[in-house]
Structure formats: structure tokens, C-alpha cells
Amino acid sequence: MKAVKVKENIYWVGVKDWNLTEFHGYATPHGSTYNSYLINDEKIALIDGVKHYLSLEQIDRIKDVVDLSKIDYLVVNHVEQDHSGNIPELIKLAPQITIVTNSAGKMALEAHFDTEGWNFQIIKTGDSLKLGKHSLTFVTTPLLHWPDSMMSYCPEEKILFSNDGFGQHYCTNTIWAGEANFGMVCEEAKSYYANILFPYGMQAQKALSTANELNLDIEMIAPSHGCIWNGKEEVSWIVSHYAKWAAAENNGSAVVVYDTMWGATAKLADTITSVFQDAGVPVVKRCLSNKHISEVMADILEAKYVAIGTPTLNNEIFPRVAAFVTYLKGLAPKNKKGFAFGSYGWRPGVVNKIQAVMEELKWETIAPFEEKYTPKSDVLEKLKEHAKTILE
Ligand code: FEO
């Protein structure tokens, strides 16, 4: 695949990681891309590197447009290695390049690589880099999701090069969201927010308000993963959803997530699910033996109610549920109503550990519910009555 023209003299020179199934613990069933863009003007700027093992592919694509020796700038929007892994190789082949990044970006590059002899130009929010007919204005977005994260805006073409923000782990034949399966692009954008940016809602809100303060008129968002949002309608879809997610708005739905050893916790999960169904609350039931924790996080993003169930194994939370709860705690969803439930054999109490995490997340909760061995019909009736109180 050759370099793809994005606008006159702006090209996609990224790479496609078709077979990626996992991204630091996040399941990526549709692969991913590491997008990089080249602005070919009086001064030539490359925006972002790629993962080290796809370096040659990016370099070949750049060579479709310009010789590496002609590149003046490499804009480093973010130093996580899916965007910086091949920078040492790029600099080796093109030592004339000046790296344009913020001070946290320079520090992160120095902490990852031997940067001796590298040229740096340090920028801050509002600074511009003139390339000729095009320019880039920078907006630092600290902790969205690393201290070094930033975005670059080209006012002449109204393009925001947003790095991880607005991205999707989605690999398809086109670079355009409008030419891809748009529903899938949106689902993967939601999953990306839930699994990468969930803890940083405040920073996302700040980035959106900085973009407003700087009067950025955005007609295209070119992220570093997945497809490009092109045109006001697509841009407005993703920006309005980010605003909702960052504000921790919910859509009134419920998620019942659990695992089971001998079917007891599954019976409890069935009963709780039916309570939501009977009340007209949209609900999904997810058993962690066949749903990856990152898929469940995408369900939780817009949910109002989250019920988490576990069997007791060796006086502990069942391992797949424990992994989920640890993941949940780190991603720290806000404004949920929680319900911990489970089953035990001879020692009760493990559900209290899930309850404690919900309290730490400052969720509103109802009392946990647990049952010894297999729940009988009278216990399920009792559970039903108790579960209904979460709707009050
Ligand atoms: Fe796509 Fe935070 O790296």
C-alpha cells in the first residue's frame, strides 16, 4: 500500500497491524494501525513514529513521497512506544531531523532512548511551527493519557492530528471512517475511550475546552490509531461522544458481570439480569469465561448500573473476576450504582472485597448479597426483591 493522500501535500504514511490481538492487556480483535502523517511543504514535517517492528513499512511509505534526507521535523505528539518505537531508526537514517515536542515529551524520549546528538525544538500550547503554506499549532494535553501527550492542529486545512485521542484499535483497508464499517469504527472508538482514557475524563474535558478557547475550527480529526474522522458530521459525532464520556454521563443501562464455578453465581446473575429486564432497563449479562475484561469495560462506559458477581475460591475472589475488578479499579469509572453478589461454600465474605472497590470508586451501592452453595428458589426470590432496590 502506497502513501495515501489526505489533503494536497498531506499524506498518511502510517502502518497497519492487521494481526494485533492484544494491546497491553486490551483485547484488539480487529487489529490496529499506527498512523503517521507527512506534510510536504517548503519545510517537511513527519507527525509521529510507529511501532518498532513496522518501521520499514513506514519508511517505505515515506519514500513514496520524499527522501528521508529531506525531512526537517518529526513532531512527537506522544512517546508511548507504539508511536515512538522506530524513532531511533528514523534519526539514524535522517540525523538532520529536529524533533518537535513539549518538555515532558523530551524527558520521556530521553528516558526511553539514547538521545545523544538528537536535535530538539520544545513547544508549549499555542506555539506554531511554520512549514510554508501549512503550519502546525500545538495543544498539550497532559495526562490524556501520558504527561507528554499533545495534539497538533493544521489551521490551513482544519485538521487536528490528535494522536491517541479519538482513536480506535481498528485495522481496515481504508484510512477513512466514512469508507469503513462506520458502526464498527464508532464501537471501537468507544472501546478505546473505555480502556485507555477512562481515568482521564477531567483532562479530556480540559482538552476540549482548550480547543474551544483557541477557536480551533476542526473539519478533520486524524488520530494515531484507526480511521480518520472526515467532515463536520463525523467530527461532531466523535467530539460530542467524548464530551459525554468525559462528563461520565450514562444512558440508564445495566451490566451484570460475573464468573461461575458450578453455576451458583450464574443463577444469581440470571436473577439480577431479569430484574433489570422486567423493569425495562437495557441490560447485558457478561460471563468472564467468554468475555474479555476490555469488552466488558466498553459496556460499562455508558452504563448506570454495574452488578459484579463472584464465586469464592480459596477464600478469595475468583481469579477472572479479581482481574476484572483490578482493571476496573484502575480505569476508575464514575457515577455508577453498584451491586456486589456471589456464592461461597463454607466461608462467607468475599463479596465485601468487591463492595470495598465500589466504595473506593465512590459508587452508590446497595448491600452485597451472597449465598451458600446453590441458591434455591426462595433465595432467588429474596435476591429479586433486594436487587430491585438498586433502581430506587
Ligand atoms: Fe497509542 Fe498511548 O499510545
Side-chain angles (χ1 to χ4, degrees):
M1 183 178 177
K2 299 255 181 225
V4 182
K5 187 171 163 184
V6 172
K7 289 269 185 178
E8 202 56 42
N9 290 318
I10 301 181
Y11 297 87
W12 175 88
V13 290
V15 297
K16 292 187 181 269
D17 202 350
W18 290 93
N19 296 318
L20 186 82
T21 53
E22 193 261 349
F23 188 93
H24 58 48
Y26 165 6
T28 54
H30 304 112
S32 193
T33 70
Y34 316 109
N35 298 335
S36 169
Y37 302 92
L38 187 80
I39 303 180
N40 189 12
D41 207 324
E42 287 162 34
K43 296 283 185 184
I44 297 174
L46 178 64
I47 300 174
D48 291 325
V50 302
K51 258 189 184 173
H52 67 99
Y53 58 75
L54 292 164
S55 188
L56 274 181
E57 191 179 323
Q58 186 203 27
I59 287 167
D60 279 349
R61 215 152 267 144
I62 294 168
K63 285 180 178 169
D64 285 340
V65 187
V66 294
D67 193 87
L68 289 184
S69 65
K70 304 281 189 237
I71 299 173
D72 297 283
Y73 301 110
L74 169 61
V75 175
V76 176
N77 281 319
H78 175 34
V79 181
E80 192 163 8
Q81 289 182 56
D82 47 328
H83 312 294
S84 72
N86 78 328
I87 290 177
E89 190 172 353
L90 282 172
I91 299 296
K92 207 165 155 187
L93 294 169
Q96 80 287 349
I97 284 176
T98 294
I99 291 176
V100 179
T101 190
N102 58 77
S103 53
K106 180 170 186 273
M107 278 196 293
L109 285 167
E110 287 167 345
H112 280 80
F113 309 111
D114 176 4
T115 58
E116 203 180 328
W118 293 15
N119 310 306
F120 285 97
Q121 181 171 330
I122 304 303
I123 56 79
K124 55 185 187 326
T125 288
D127 286 354
S128 278
L129 182 70
K130 189 81 189 145
L131 301 171
K133 287 184 184 146
H134 302 90
S135 63
L136 289 170
T137 301
F138 303 103
V139 182
T140 59
T141 55
L143 285 177
L144 194 65
H145 66 125
W146 274 25
D148 53 78
S149 297
M150 68 177 200
M151 300 186 185
S152 304
Y153 175 69
C154 175
E156 294 79 12
E157 297 291 357
K158 301 182 178 174
I159 305 176
L160 182 69
F161 298 98
S162 59
N163 196 263
D164 280 345
F166 311 112
Q168 330 96 45
H169 281 315
Y170 184 45
C171 184
T172 186
N173 200 37
T174 172
I175 63 166
W176 304 105
E179 288 179 1
N181 177 337
F182 192 72
M184 184 77 82
V185 176
C186 296
E187 279 306 304
E188 287 299 337
K190 179 179 168 187
S191 177
Y192 193 90
Y193 187 95
N195 285 283
I196 303 281
L197 304 176
F198 220 153
Y200 307 110
M202 240 165 56
Q203 289 82 355
Q205 283 179 314
K206 187 166 185 306
L208 292 171
S209 70
T210 307
N212 276 337
E213 283 159 24
L214 292 173
N215 283 322
L216 303 190
D217 180 13
I218 301 167
E219 285 186 356
M220 184 186 290
I221 295 181
S224 62
H225 297 292
C227 293
I228 297 174
W229 308 93
N230 186 21
K232 289 281 186 192
E233 202 176 314
E234 291 178 11
V235 166
S236 154
W237 188 92
I238 187 65
V239 171
S240 63
H241 278 76
Y242 261 57
K244 273 191 222 170
W245 298 331
E249 285 181 17
N250 71 68
N251 62 10
S253 64
V255 178
V256 179
V257 50
Y258 69 100
D259 211 327
T260 196
M261 286 167 65
W262 295 104
T265 310
K267 281 190 178 171
L268 302 176
D270 287 347
T271 300
I272 296 164
T273 303
S274 76
V275 166
F276 287 120
Q277 286 170 319
D278 293 347
V281 172
V283 57
V284 289
K285 187 178 70 163
R286 303 297 192 207
C287 181
L288 290 165
S289 63
N290 57 39
K291 275 285 170 194
H292 193 273
I293 55 177
S294 50
E295 291 178 84
V296 181
M297 282 315 304
D299 294 322
I300 285 178
L301 178 62
E302 294 178 338
K304 177 175 184 179
Y305 307 101
V306 182
I308 305 174
T310 186
T312 302
L313 180 66
N314 300 325
N315 202 29
E316 267 301 343
I317 303 176
F318 192 69
R320 277 191 292 260
V321 181
F324 171 74
V325 170
T326 301
Y327 194 58
L328 177 85
K329 188 174 157 187
L331 289 167
K334 293 186 177 63
N335 294 347
K336 306 294 179 193
K337 290 185 92 172
F339 178 25
F341 65 96
S343 56
Y344 64 96
W346 49 95
R347 189 182 293 179
V350 85
V351 287
N352 296 329
K353 296 184 183 190
I354 297 175
Q355 175 79 6
V357 170
M358 291 177 172
E359 286 171 5
E360 206 174 315
L361 293 171
K362 300 196 169 24
W363 292 5
E364 204 180 311
T365 57
I366 58 171
F369 187 99
E370 61 184 340
E371 176 58 10
K372 187 177 173 74
Y373 291 120
T374 301
K376 308 288 189 317
S377 57
D378 59 324
V379 171
L380 295 177
E381 276 309 310
K382 210 169 98 190
L383 169 62
K384 227 178 216 180
E385 290 312 306
H386 179 56
K388 282 179 190 168
T389 64
I390 200 171
L391 302 169
E392 291 166 2

